[in-house]
């Protein structure tokens, strides 16, 4: 059995150990210190609801209480140049076929078709539009861009049997018009795509029906967007008034080669 | 008999010719288009109807135009003025002003004070709706509603995720250079709603966002001792990342948020360590007598790009995440620093100094196709938007403090961020939920 004096070293060591623990508890290490941060910045929740698909123009545009009710056709378009000869592809109702559909709109006074501008106002309107066209520069820069290398030049071909009727020059003209309007997004993923757009033209150079695209039903949003950009170029080119008559009524397929273009930038 | 046979054959040929002639006449014509134009898409964004509708439309317009991919049309040219989100627009009137897309909407506030914003995106030429949603939140949250609408429009028209409903943490700088106060701050990506996260008692550096939540990491300098902090800006949870043998700096999360790569300085050299945030185990991945720093993970987490002066001047290197296969990818003239891997994985952004000029640039991960996007007295510290389309960085002009700027990956669209004061070290958040 150890004597009382034998325990002194152990007691001293124990006291020192307790003191060390106490000091450690009271003095925080620099790396473990917390700092005073400002208020938190919470993320507020936002809920989203899908709006229903727009109703066809023929459906009755009855007023509905829901804020996201489907769109209904508005009053007929104004007598601008293109509206005087609407094509079958236009979804907007014509005044002759659906006049009664316009009447029951929720706010008929505000949504009634705008008062036709007096004839003398068209000059001002045209001036406004000209100004806008210049301001946006939508077409000017495109027109200045032509094929800069042989492998980037537009190419046109016909199937056997109609090449005599449709000259290569005519198709090159069509391709040139479309390349002036085609605005692909080369930065989008999946840009190495060729979008085939098929359409027909009437004798007036307008679209005979809606253009169809090989990627119209793509599940990839980038491909879908690429498809819509190609189709938009075709719509925007309407009317194709400077083409030879032999091209009208033909099934025209345009290959918008996004990979070729984007890789050549 | 022979004559009869010849007559019959001729009749058959004639009938065949008559039968197939229309088909031949309608044969397909194929045209290849290998050229186009690259220009912002003209889009019309009239003021939304209802409470704060004009302000919401303005925020959407600013977001989209700032991306460089859209060109909002001057509202003064609009020919249709009274749009109703529930009524089809008059497409011909929008075609006349060259609008390719039209966004209209309506904001309402219900009896509970919640704001509902209905919006529709139209393809003007196809005369079809492209998008229709109703977003709801508290009324004071209207800017976030607008950013979410801009993201939806951006994604629908480009096929890529947007980046507008995001925030940026940065270091707000004030005071003279000799006694600079560096506070951690946060704002919306467009500069709205700025607020401070620290009070300026300590110096903060290099804040970085986790790519999958609202957590940030940063270096804090206090009494000449550096610490790496974690802070969740949504919950307020705060944490210090242990103790290191030496000065620690330049932390950055791995893509999954489970690890942090950082630089540890010891005996005049700095190397890159990777800490597992769950186990707190630290693994050194570079062993060098030089200065290895600014580690940034690839989006799949398998590689790390970093900056090292092992070859003399600072250059950019890539290695596997475990430290193997270290190889240099930058070989141009000048000094390359602060490499950051794009969230898309296709590019690495960096700061480059040539003489007395600084640039923000990008190159592919193999070092090819280096492209300088900016040139300035002092541009540095690039941070990617979550969709890899835009880079935010700090720009200092001679005699003036640093400001935050953005530039898109084409270098065509560059603009100053709206934060009015001195700011540096931006870090872009992921898209908000």
């Amino acid at each position: 059995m150890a004597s009382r004096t034998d325990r002194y070293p152990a007691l001293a060591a124990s006291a020192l150990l307790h003191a060390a623990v106490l000091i450690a508890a009271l003095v925080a290490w620099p790396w473990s210190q917390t700092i005073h941060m400002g208020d938190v910045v919470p993320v507020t929740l936002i809920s989203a609801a899908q709006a229903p698909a727009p109703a066809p123009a023929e459906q009755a545009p009855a007023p509905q209480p829901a804020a996201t009710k489907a769109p209904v056709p508005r009053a007929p378009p104004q007598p601008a140049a293109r509206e005087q000869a609407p094509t079958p592809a236009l979804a907007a109702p014509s005044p002759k076929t659906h006049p009664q559909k316009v009447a029951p709109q929720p706010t008929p006074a505000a949504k009634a078709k705008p008062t036709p501008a007096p004839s003398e106002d068209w000059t001002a309107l045209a001036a406004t539009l000209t100004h806008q066209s210049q301001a946006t520069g939508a077409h000017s820069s495109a027109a200045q861009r032509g094929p800069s290398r042989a492998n980037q030049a537009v190419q046109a071909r016909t199937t056997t049997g109609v090449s005599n009727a449709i000259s290569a020059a005519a198709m090159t003209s069509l391709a040139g018009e479309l390349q002036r309007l085609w605005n692909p997004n080369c930065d989008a993923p999946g840009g190495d795509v060729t979008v085939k757009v098929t359409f027909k033209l009437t004798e007036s150079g307008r679209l005979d029906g809606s253009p169809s695209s090989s990627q119209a039903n793509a599940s990839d949003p980038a491909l879908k967007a690429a498809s819509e950009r190609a189709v938009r170029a075709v719509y925007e080119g309407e009317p194709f008034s400077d083409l030879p008559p032999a091209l009208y009524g033909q099934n025209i397929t345009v290959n918008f080669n996004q990979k070729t273009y984007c890789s050549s930038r | 008999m022979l004559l009869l046979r010849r007559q019959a054959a001729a009749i058959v040929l004639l009938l065949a010719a008559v039968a197939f002639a229309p088909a031949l006449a309608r044969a397909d014509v194929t045209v290849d288009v290998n050229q186009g134009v690259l220009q912002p898409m003209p889009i019309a964004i009239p003021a939304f109807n209802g409470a704060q509708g004009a302000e919401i439309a303005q925020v959407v317009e600013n977001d989209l135009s700032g991306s460089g991919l859209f060109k909002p049309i001057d509202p003064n040219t609009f020919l249709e003025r009274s749009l109703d989100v529930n009524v089809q627009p008059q497409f011909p009137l929008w075609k006349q002003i060259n609008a390719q897309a039209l966004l209209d909407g309506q904001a309402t506030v219900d009896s509970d004070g919640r704001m509902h914003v209905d919006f529709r995106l139209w393809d003007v030429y196809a005369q079809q709706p492209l998008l229709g949603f109703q977003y709801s939140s508290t009324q004071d949250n209207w800017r976030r509603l607008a950013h979410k609408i801009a993201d939806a429009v951006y994604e629908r028209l480009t096929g890529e995720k947007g980046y507008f409903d995001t925030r940026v943490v940065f270091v707000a700088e004030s005071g003279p250079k000799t006694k600079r106060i560096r506070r951690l701050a946060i704002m919306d990506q467009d500069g709205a709603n700025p607020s401070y996260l620290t009070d300026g008692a300590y110096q903060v550096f290099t804040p970085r966002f986790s790519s999958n939540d609202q957590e940030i990491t940063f270096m804090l300098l206090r009494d000449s001792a550096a610490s790496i902090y974690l802070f969740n800006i949504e919950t307020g949870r705060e944490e210090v990342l242990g103790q290191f043998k030496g000065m620690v700096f330049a932390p950055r999360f791995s893509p999954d948020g489970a690890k942090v790569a950082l630089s540890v300085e010891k005996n005049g050299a700095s190397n890159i360590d990777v800490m597992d945030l769950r186990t707190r185990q630290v693994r050194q991945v570079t062993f060098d007598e030089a200065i290895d720093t600014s580690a940034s993970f690839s989006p799949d987490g398998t590689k790390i790009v970093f900056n090292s002066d092992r070859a003399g001047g600072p250059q950019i290197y890539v290695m596997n995440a475990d430290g193997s296969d270290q190889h240099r990818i930058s070989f141009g003239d000048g000094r390359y620093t602060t490499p950051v891997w794009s969230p898309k994985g296709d590019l690495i952004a960096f700061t480059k100094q040539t003489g007395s000029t600084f640039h923000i640039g990008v190159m592919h991960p193999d070092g090819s196709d280096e492209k300088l996007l900016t040139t300035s007295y002092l541009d540095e510290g690039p941070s990617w938007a979550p969709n890899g389309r835009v880079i935010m960085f700090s720009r200092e002009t001679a005699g003036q403090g640093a400001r935050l700027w953005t530039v898109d990956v084409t270098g065509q669209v560059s603009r100053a961020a709206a934060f009015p004061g001195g700011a540096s070290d931006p870090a872009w958040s992921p898209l908000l939920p």
Side-chain angles (χ1 to χ4, degrees):
Chain A
M1 188 168 182
S3 68
R4 192 181 196 92
T5 53
D6 291 340
R7 294 178 184 164
Y8 285 157
L11 287 172
S14 176
L16 284 172
L17 189 60
H18 279 80
V21 170
L22 185 62
I23 291 170
L26 294 176
V27 179
W29 299 107
W31 53 266
S32 65
Q33 285 181 352
T34 59
I35 57 173
H36 172 69
M37 302 294 290
D39 293 335
V40 298
V41 186
V43 177
T44 37
L45 294 178
I46 289 181
S47 58
Q50 177 78 49
E58 290 72 22
Q59 292 186 10
Q64 298 177 18
T68 56
K69 61 191 178 232
V72 297
R74 180 179 284 279
Q78 289 307 292
R82 292 189 176 191
E83 279 57 62
Q84 290 172 356
T87 69
L90 293 177
S94 72
K96 290 182 180 178
T97 52
H98 303 293
Q100 72 282 10
K101 305 295 183 189
V102 177
Q105 287 181 3
T107 54
K111 304 305 171 191
K113 52 185 172 184
T115 306
S119 57
E120 58 271 26
D121 287 344
W122 288 107
T123 305
L125 176 60
T128 303
L129 295 176
T130 303
H131 173 73
Q132 166 63 15
S133 176
Q134 291 169 346
T136 58
H139 290 219
S140 57
S141 61
Q144 294 166 1
R145 293 192 184 197
S148 56
R149 291 192 292 189
N151 66 344
Q152 294 171 358
V154 294
Q155 297 172 359
R157 61 181 180 272
T158 63
T159 54
T160 305
V162 292
S163 56
N164 291 338
I166 304 171
S167 69
M171 291 187 293
T172 302
S173 170
L174 171 63
E177 173 71 4
L178 291 173
Q179 77 176 16
R180 193 177 66 81
L181 300 169
W182 180 41
N183 181 18
N185 178 13
C186 290
D187 294 319
D192 53 344
V193 63
T194 294
V195 180
K196 293 179 181 292
V197 179
T198 303
F199 58 95
K200 275 186 181 181
L201 298 176
T202 66
E203 291 184 357
S204 62
R206 292 193 170 275
L207 290 168
D208 185 0
S210 301
S212 63
S213 164
S214 60
Q215 304 288 348
N217 297 318
S219 57
D220 183 334
L223 288 182
K224 194 173 183 64
S227 167
E228 289 165 351
R229 284 172 180 261
V231 170
R232 202 169 288 129
V234 175
Y235 273 121
E236 202 171 353
E238 184 187 26
F240 296 88
S241 52
D242 296 330
L243 299 177
L247 206 52
Y248 300 135
Q250 305 292 340
N251 285 320
I252 301 171
T253 297
V254 180
N255 296 319
F256 289 93
N257 296 318
Q258 189 162 318
K259 180 180 183 180
T260 305
Y261 174 51
C262 294
S263 62
S264 68
R265 289 189 305 152
Chain B
M1 191 66 179
L2 183 62
L3 184 61
L4 284 175
R5 283 182 181 173
R6 284 178 177 170
Q7 285 176 339
I11 289 170
V12 168
L13 284 174
L14 183 61
L15 288 174
V18 170
F20 289 105
L24 286 173
R26 287 194 301 271
D28 284 350
V29 176
T30 302
V31 176
D32 290 334
V33 174
N34 300 324
Q35 279 278 316
V37 292
L38 294 180
Q39 58 188 12
M41 176 188 284
I43 182 171
I45 309 175
F48 288 9
N49 295 324
Q52 293 181 289
E55 291 95 328
I56 291 171
Q58 188 62 56
V59 169
V60 175
E61 182 179 319
N62 288 344
D63 282 348
L64 295 177
S65 65
S67 72
L69 295 178
F70 298 92
K71 183 169 186 174
I73 296 173
D74 182 358
N76 291 324
T77 65
F78 292 170
L79 302 176
E80 184 177 24
R81 296 284 177 177
S82 53
L83 282 166
D84 184 328
V85 73
N86 300 311
V87 179
Q88 275 189 356
Q90 298 185 58
F91 296 111
L93 297 182
W94 298 100
K95 282 186 193 174
Q96 288 188 41
I97 61 171
N98 297 323
Q100 293 188 358
L102 165 66
L103 176 70
D104 67 336
Q106 174 175 305
T108 56
V109 180
D110 64 19
S111 57
D112 294 332
R114 283 183 67 79
M115 173 176 273
H116 308 280
V117 182
D118 297 86
F119 67 97
R120 286 189 188 279
L121 177 67
W122 299 91
D123 186 325
V124 170
Y125 283 92
Q127 304 192 13
Q128 294 290 327
L130 296 173
L131 208 58
F133 276 108
Q134 181 190 74
Y135 288 161
S136 304
S137 187
T138 54
Q139 191 172 0
D140 60 357
N141 211 22
W142 65 271
R143 290 190 71 93
R144 271 206 68 204
L145 288 168
H147 290 315
K148 285 195 86 70
I149 293 170
D151 279 329
V153 171
Y154 183 97
E155 182 172 359
R156 184 63 185 82
L157 293 177
T158 68
E160 289 184 289
K161 288 282 185 187
Y163 61 92
F164 305 120
D165 188 25
T166 56
R167 304 191 287 198
V168 174
V169 291
F170 58 99
V171 175
E173 299 183 358
S174 59
K177 265 196 170 179
T178 54
K179 200 175 181 182
R180 184 65 52 90
I181 297 173
R182 297 172 60 89
R183 283 185 289 183
L184 198 60
I186 188 169
M187 64 181 183
D188 295 349
Q189 56 82 22
D190 62 350
N193 300 318
S195 64
Y196 294 110
L197 296 173
T198 59
D199 57 10
Y202 314 107
Q203 302 279 67
V204 293
F205 298 85
T206 59
R208 304 285 182 246
F209 251 108
S210 168
S211 59
N212 53 15
D213 58 26
Q214 293 298 303
E215 192 156 48
I216 59 173
T217 180
F218 58 94
M219 169 192 163
L220 185 142
L221 192 61
R222 173 175 40 201
D223 301 331
S224 300
S227 306
I228 302 297
Y229 275 76
L230 295 179
F231 180 64
N232 190 304
I233 58 176
E234 187 173 10
T235 65
R237 187 174 59 85
E238 172 194 332
E239 201 174 346
V240 188
L241 279 189
Q243 190 176 28
F244 296 86
K245 296 174 181 175
M247 181 79 141
V248 289
F249 53 100
R252 193 181 290 274
F253 285 102
S254 62
D256 60 2
K259 298 173 185 169
V260 168
L262 36 79
S263 302
V264 181
E265 184 273 335
K266 189 179 177 185
N267 299 328
S270 76
N271 280 288
I272 293 171
D273 288 7
V274 175
M275 171 183 269
D276 186 309
L277 293 178
R278 188 177 59 84
T279 64
R280 294 305 168 100
Q281 286 189 330
V282 178
R283 178 179 183 184
Q284 186 173 341
V285 293
T286 69
F287 300 85
D288 209 349
E289 297 301 318
I291 295 176
D292 296 347
T293 185
S294 302
S296 173
F297 285 91
S298 60
D300 62 5
T302 61
K303 295 184 182 301
I304 292 175
V305 63
F306 64 102
N307 158 231
S308 175
D309 66 352
R310 63 183 67 176
Q315 296 289 339
I316 299 176
Y317 293 75
V318 168
M319 63 181 172
N320 292 329
D322 62 3
S324 62
D325 190 23
Q326 298 181 18
H327 58 280
R328 178 176 166 180
I329 64 167
S330 66
F331 293 94
D333 295 334
R335 300 161 59 87
Y336 293 80
T337 54
T338 65
V340 191
W341 217 304
S342 160
K344 289 165 67 175
D346 57 341
L347 293 171
I348 289 170
F350 55 84
T351 301
K352 182 176 183 178
Q353 182 186 2
T354 53
S356 59
T357 304
F358 282 76
H359 314 269
I360 299 297
V362 292
M363 66 172 66
H364 290 305
D366 62 0
S368 63
D369 294 336
E370 177 182 321
K371 182 179 180 182
L372 299 181
L373 306 177
T374 72
T375 299
S376 164
Y377 173 74
L378 179 54
D379 286 352
E380 62 179 350
S383 176
W384 288 97
N387 71 347
R389 166 83 197 162
V390 179
I391 296 169
M392 186 173 283
F393 60 98
S394 67
R395 167 170 290 176
E396 189 173 331
T397 52
Q400 299 197 352
R403 295 284 192 278
L404 298 183
W405 282 68
T406 57
V407 64
D408 75 335
V409 289
T410 69
Q412 300 294 313
V413 182
S414 180
R415 55 166 60 178
F419 185 73
S424 63
D425 287 346
W428 216 312
S429 84
L431 278 171
L432 295 175

